[in-house]
Amino acid sequence: AAVEVSEKDKIIHNIMTQYLPRDVDSILKQIVNHVEYTLARTKYNFDEQHAYQATAYSVRDRLIESWNDTQQYFTEKDVKRVYYLSMEFLMGRYLNNALLNLGIESQYQGALKKLGFDLDEVEHQERDPGLGNGGLGRLAACFMDSLATINYPAWGYGIRYKYGMFEQRISKEGYQIEIPDYWLTAGNPWEIERLDVKYPVRFYGEIKHNGKHYEWQGGEVVTAIAYDSPIPGYDTYNTLNLRLWSATPASEFDLDSFSRGDYYSAVASKEAAEKISSVLYPNDATEAGKELRLKQQHFFVSATLQDVVRRFKKKDRPLTELHTKVAIQLNDTHPTIGIAELMRIFMDHESMGWSAAWATTTKVFSYTNHTVLPEALERWSVDLVEKLLPRHMQIIYEINRRHLEEVVKKYPGDGDKLMRMSIIEEGFPKMVRMAVLAVVGSHHVNGVAAIHSGLVKSRLFPDFYKEQPDKFLNMTNGVTPRRWMQSANPALSEVISRWLETDEWVSNYELCRGLEQFVDSADMQREFREAKRTNKKRVAERIKKEFGVEVSTDAMFDIQVKRIHEYKRQLMNVLSIICRYNAIKRMTPAEKEECVPRVCIIGGKAAAGYVIAKHIIRLINGVSKVVNNDKDVGDLLKVFFMTNYNVTLAEDIIPANDISQHISTAGMEASGTSNMKFVMNGGLIIGTMDGANIEIREEIGNDNMFIFGLLEEEIDRARNELKYGGYQHTDSRLQEAMKQIEANKYCGKDVSEPLLKNLQPYNDYYLVTRDFSSYMDAQARVDEEYKNQTSWVKKTITSVARMGKFSSDRTIREYGEQIWNLEATPFVPSSVAYKTV
Ligand code: 73E
């Protein structure tokens, strides 16, 4: 059908006959234009930082074109959208990712070269926005990339923190120091401030009934302002939106305080509003229960739901059909208050009755669980929720009453079951269990790896699983090959593309299976090794610069980078490094000849209040100092703690790994995602049967992994044996290492005493001493196999070829098909009005 085109559209079309041209000279002009008109700098003299800013603005311009077209297209087609609600989006740097996704890296390289800049150096000017803690936030970022690439209609929603994840420094003595991360100092060229997109969000206050429905009044109101960043997909015109909310004072001033002459305190109370989006809670997997965090949650969820409902209502149709156009994914329990908030909007603002409101709500939400650690399951005291969100507390009570009524009907007299299934935990104080609210209010609940999804059913929610088995699914995590291979590892990516004779594997990882047929080719083996050497050389230079220590690229690069947490067992890694050091000290020259040199790299942040985790960092730094300065050891062992691990550092060092460590106590790491990145970058894994390690092993084969340790089903028993005296380790190497720590060889007793205490049988909850011998055996196998470089590189080729399952494209397709019911909707140019003139 012909599209109606207005006179105004025709005029615009005639001026804007084509989109931003992509040739080198046009790009050069676009960059210089931004230097002059956006940055207001002289075009004859600008530095690398301004070159970065201007380049970023020029790339953003292109993204705005495709972003507008995509959004208009989705609206015209009236597609169903998914909204990914997450407290964290750990996006990493934008520029290189955008250039690769748009396929214009070489043109930008050319344009910047003409201006006297190196694209690589310009890219290094960008600050890494750290709006997340670790795996959960990075997963959200990988998902955005895959959603765009697959052409799913999707938006991300979160918080625009002023301060992201703290910057980690290490003191002279080896302790962690936290520095605030004010990442906006030089502005953020990727975002668009939408001063016109804003919503009021209320806290505290009272509930009134006006005869028809409840009204929530009084209290404090803040305004949420939208900041949008375009998300390009790979090799597609589709561009999605990440909308982050920032808190500002509500515009209605409290006239009372002004008329009382209380000018300063009235202004001050407005300032307090901004606190809400001020800082990311630096916790990975420990729940803090702080009022400000619940405020943050309600703040971004309320603004998001108002935005979603407004968008839906633009087309005239009943809100009971919301689920036909809207799917909302809860990234962990953090946005779960949204279930009560949507009910409130439906009933108090849209005059829906309870049944209709509940039926629709439960068709909209689905919930991803990311951890079974009891200390990480969010619970809010009833008192706090009642004070901060009185109407939501009422609604939660009513949800619970109706839910428990069903339970009683089916299981009369089973008080225990009722207690277990209740949203409210009866105790002193009474608590709201957010995970139970999420399960009751969602149509699907998923874990993030097969073993974890099993534990979600068997340990966390067995009663719910029994009632509704089909509600519970597994969605094994994945990572985007765009950022984690193509962008982070150009050397290896080129080799892969050359042998496959295509670069389509970047958005269709399964094509890498084609590498396997060449695994015996000496040429391919050489090229894989050369790519590895290139990456190791870069990291070796970095080490030289930061630590002043030379390391050989012939040494095995052994890497463990992730948040510091007892369950991830960095302590076990350091203990084994101490044992290796002791063994080297005892070696004869002939034995040293046979010994495989290792460079051990450990990195990661400890939550500021997590004392033991900080002690572990101090111990690593102590061991590093002793080992690296010991002349007897020479090149055979070097140990480095890499400061301030973040996405950018990960992109630099993951491609350099020969082996990486994923050694959590079985059953405790829900999935892990760096394990996937390390293997995709041509390394092997030493790890436990935990999280996604298990599925990686299934895909790449047991021969290509170094697996050790107890199985999940053996853990409870082993813990009891340790605790009640049936078991004590007898590993003399471990005894020696612990004695040295006790003698304060590596750190003072402020650190060594609490660490050793945690290794006592009755305290060793994470089973470090129990898994230790098995771990050392696996390490010995690693050393042995590394001696045969040909068989090693063959293992890495086979592994890279077989990792297709762990592309986040596969993960997102599963969510799209099994949970969200979405259709891929690639933009078709002819459908946009002004393009058809
Ligand atoms: O195993 C990882 C998982 O790969 C898990 O620990 C992590 O999520 C990753 C992605 O699925 C995770 N983070 C949190 N819980 N699980 C968490 C909890 C509270 C605050 C911030 C993050």
Side-chain angles (χ1 to χ4, degrees), residues 88 135-136 139 283-285 334 370-371 448 477 567 669-672:
E88 308 189 4
L136 171 143
L139 187 75
N283 263 341
D284 190 295
H334 316 155
H370 291 267
T371 178
V448 291
N477 281 169
Y567 83 81
E669 187 72 272
S671 162

Side-chain angles (χ1 to χ4, degrees), residues 507-684:
S507 53
N508 182 6
Y509 193 124
E510 284 298 338
L511 291 177
C512 287
R513 294 254 172 210
L515 296 172
E516 248 188 290
Q517 58 183 307
F518 307 117
V519 68
D520 290 317
S521 150
D523 284 336
M524 175 181 266
Q525 293 167 10
R526 183 175 37 75
E527 289 177 30
F528 260 69
R529 289 176 61 181
E530 275 167 9
K532 182 60 71 186
R533 189 176 297 277
T534 302
N535 293 320
K536 286 166 80 170
K537 228 176 116 193
R538 187 184 57 245
V539 170
E541 278 158 17
R542 180 180 195 122
I543 287 172
K544 174 89 202 336
K545 218 169 117 197
E546 271 174 43
F547 301 90
V549 179
E550 299 262 5
V551 297
S552 160
T553 53
D554 290 329
M556 184 197 307
F557 280 29
D558 164 340
I559 308 181
Q560 186 182 23
V561 280
K562 44 184 91 244
R563 288 300 292 265
I564 311 293
H565 205 295
E566 288 162 282
Y567 83 81
K568 296 178 190 280
R569 298 199 291 194
Q570 284 94 351
L571 183 56
M572 190 163 75
N573 186 2
V574 206
L575 287 167
S576 88
I577 291 173
I578 296 174
C579 293
R580 179 176 294 271
Y581 170 62
N582 292 332
I584 292 171
K585 297 276 283 181
R586 279 190 286 268
M587 281 178 185
T588 65
E591 283 169 334
K592 281 189 174 173
E593 209 49 46
E594 283 296 295
C595 174
V596 178
R598 264 209 212 206
V599 174
C600 297
I601 295 172
I602 303 176
K605 294 175 184 177
Y610 192 170
V611 176
I612 288 283
K614 292 173 115 175
H615 287 340
I616 293 172
I617 291 177
R618 172 64 189 86
L619 175 63
I620 298 167
N621 283 314
V623 171
S624 165
K625 199 161 179 184
V626 171
V627 171
N628 294 356
N629 290 311
D630 191 326
K631 295 273 179 311
D632 295 350
V633 172
D635 276 351
L636 292 183
L637 181 61
K638 289 282 174 266
V639 183
F640 303 101
F641 184 82
M642 289 266 196
T643 313
N644 202 39
Y645 180 61
N646 60 11
V647 172
T648 299
L649 180 54
E651 290 171 59
D652 199 48
I653 66 177
I654 290 175
N657 90 93
D658 291 306
I659 187 117
S660 65
Q661 305 212 24
H662 309 276
I663 57 178
S664 50
T665 315
M668 302 196 85
E669 187 72 272
S671 162
T673 41
S674 78
N675 41 8
M676 304 165 187
K677 299 165 195 169
F678 278 106
V679 178
M680 288 178 181
N681 279 286
L684 302 182

Side-chain angles (χ1 to χ4, degrees), residues 4 63 72 78 106-107 145 173 231 300 314 364 387 414 434 436 447 495-496 604 623 637 661 686 757 764 785 794 819:
E4 278 285 327
L63 292 174
Q72 192 183 341
D78 195 21
S106 67
Q107 291 95 311
D145 185 77
E173 299 77 27
I231 307 290
F300 101 92
K314 280 190 191 164
V364 164
K387 180 179 77 161
D414 192 342
M434 298 311 273
V436 178
V495 174
I496 295 173
V623 171
L637 181 61
Q661 305 212 24
I686 179 166
K757 193 174 154 217
D764 185 11
E785 302 230 1
K794 280 165 72 171
I819 298 184

Side-chain angles (χ1 to χ4, degrees), residues 70-79 81 311 315:
T70 308
Q71 297 312 318
Q72 192 183 341
Y73 185 64
F74 288 165
T75 303
E76 266 174 33
K77 293 274 266 189
D78 195 21
V79 293
R81 290 179 169 94
R311 190 167 303 121
K315 300 235 159 101

Side-chain angles (χ1 to χ4, degrees), residues 209-221:
H209 199 277
N210 65 9
K212 283 206 290 258
H213 55 76
Y214 285 98
E215 263 175 45
W216 182 19
Q217 306 166 340
E220 291 173 12
V221 177

